[in-house]
Amino acid sequence: MKTFKLATLFILVFTLINCGGKEEKKEAPSYKKEKAAPKKTAPKADFDSEIKASNDILLTSNDAMKFSQEILKVEGGKKVKIVFRHTGKMSKEVMGHNFVLLKKGVSMVSFGNEASKASSNEYIPENTNDVIVHTKLIGGGEETTIEFDAPAKGTYRFICSFPGHFAVMKGKFIVI
Ligand SMILES: [Cu+2]
């Protein structure tokens, strides 16, 4: 059956090439056209700019290891309030989450690896100089709130520092 289909395809393509002349010859292999088609996803910069700034944030997390937003945008020179909620059911020992806002230039990977060793301090390395602000670690059904002054204008990174989570639980914190 496969051979038959393939043979039919060959004949069809061959016929098209022969009938169409040189112009159509280029068009014949349709799979090549699909590959060359431009991506439909909008550039990321446009997406960032569509997000409205708000200094009153509700950020949730869940048992699927996800933050509800990956881009947070706030206005500089003002206070920021973040209500951080865990909508899951799992305990903080198994699926704990926090919100950790990193200083500029701090590597998420090296910080995340360092943080994963700090189990006695809710995965925040003691005396760290890499963090602007962070929430406590919460488990399913819990909620915590932090308030802080917006840092200087720019783009920062936030992560959950529970071991292994920062690979997916990460985002941009933009101060405009
Ligand atoms: Cu987490």
Side-chain angles (χ1 to χ4, degrees):
M1 192 64 187
K2 249 186 179 174
T3 326
F4 176 71
K5 271 188 182 167
L6 219 73
T8 317
L9 195 74
F10 265 111
I11 291 164
L12 205 77
V13 171
F14 203 70
T15 315
L16 276 172
I17 291 168
N18 278 335
C19 293
K22 277 190 177 174
E23 296 281 304
E24 276 188 18
K25 204 173 176 180
K26 282 180 188 168
E27 303 273 332
S30 59
Y31 62 93
K32 271 192 180 167
K33 267 167 70 187
E34 276 170 32
K35 266 188 182 172
K39 283 185 179 175
K40 278 177 189 167
T41 46
K44 250 200 162 176
D46 285 353
F47 183 54
D48 286 9
S49 64
E50 281 168 17
I51 290 176
K52 278 189 181 173
S54 168
N55 290 39
D56 204 350
I57 296 165
L58 170 66
L59 179 69
T60 70
S61 55
N62 59 22
D63 285 344
M65 231 164 82
K66 276 199 171 151
F67 281 128
S68 53
Q69 290 109 276
E70 286 177 347
I71 297 170
L72 301 174
K73 193 183 279 183
V74 304
E75 283 178 46
K78 292 181 179 175
K79 287 246 182 246
V80 178
K81 180 183 170 190
I82 299 179
V83 175
F84 182 53
R85 189 179 294 162
H86 190 319
T87 60
K89 290 195 166 83
M90 294 163 87
S91 73
K92 73 173 180 183
E93 286 74 25
V94 184
M95 186 53 74
H97 298 312
N98 60 11
F99 166 90
V100 183
L101 185 59
L102 298 174
K103 286 189 182 167
K104 265 190 188 166
V106 174
S107 150
M108 288 192 291
V109 177
S110 44
F111 178 83
N113 288 335
E114 207 48 46
S116 66
K117 299 174 201 157
S119 58
S120 58
N121 197 42
E122 295 196 323
Y123 304 108
I124 302 295
E126 302 233 23
N127 307 318
T128 182
N129 203 29
D130 294 342
V131 173
I132 295 170
V133 69
H134 68 88
T135 67
K136 60 178 189 170
L137 191 73
I138 57 172
E142 292 181 316
E143 183 181 297
T144 185
T145 302
I146 48 167
E147 275 190 76
F148 56 98
D149 293 320
K153 283 180 188 178
T155 300
Y156 303 79
R157 306 306 301 242
F158 68 88
I159 62 165
C160 166
S161 70
F162 191 90
H165 287 197
F166 71 88
V168 282
M169 293 187 77
K170 60 184 175 185
K172 278 188 205 170
F173 184 93
I174 303 167
V175 184
I176 58 167

